[in-house]
Amino acid sequence: MVSQKSALLNNWLKVTLMKSGDFTLADIRRDKETGNKVESVIAIYSNPLNLLSDMVNLLVKRAIYLKQITRFDEFTQLTEEFSAACRVELEKLNA
């Protein structure tokens, strides 16, 4: 996998535009023993809309898990913020 550009989203997800034009979506976690960041590829996408949908979904799920979202209005607001941020990053990668 040779990559061109990448974007980090909320220090949780990394999107990379490959030379083939496809995108990889990777989860970023910390190794409990070493403390190093570990990236694991979740999926490879050819359709940016499917990628955007999964990115927002994963970011919202993690925010709920970490109790950053506890009410419906917070859910709505954070979903809109994540959608906008993810769209901006995808546009930067495609530029």
Side-chain angles (χ1 to χ4, degrees):
M1 262 191 307
V2 178
S3 63
Q4 290 183 333
K5 302 177 190 177
S6 64
L8 190 61
L9 300 159
N10 221 24
N11 285 328
W12 295 338
L13 297 175
K14 182 177 179 183
V15 178
T16 304
L17 176 63
M18 299 170 35
K19 286 189 178 192
S20 65
D22 293 339
F23 296 91
T24 61
L25 178 61
D27 186 33
I28 299 174
R29 298 194 183 250
R30 289 241 178 234
D31 183 285
K32 290 181 181 178
E33 294 178 12
T34 64
N36 294 331
K37 285 185 179 180
V38 178
E39 293 179 20
S40 58
V41 174
I42 298 169
I44 298 174
Y45 297 85
S46 58
N47 183 332
L49 285 177
N50 289 337
L51 171 61
L52 179 64
S53 172
D54 285 353
M55 288 168 30
V56 172
N57 185 28
L58 290 168
L59 289 170
V60 168
K61 282 182 178 183
R62 180 133 344 143
I64 291 170
Y65 175 78
L66 295 173
K67 299 193 184 344
Q68 294 175 340
I69 298 174
T70 57
R71 298 186 326 260
F72 288 121
D73 59 331
E74 292 172 337
F75 173 87
T76 303
Q77 180 183 1
L78 205 55
T79 300
E80 289 174 7
E81 289 175 16
F82 284 150
S83 295
C86 290
R87 190 176 129 233
V88 166
E89 292 303 322
L90 285 177
E91 287 174 352
K92 285 181 190 175
L93 289 176
N94 278 324

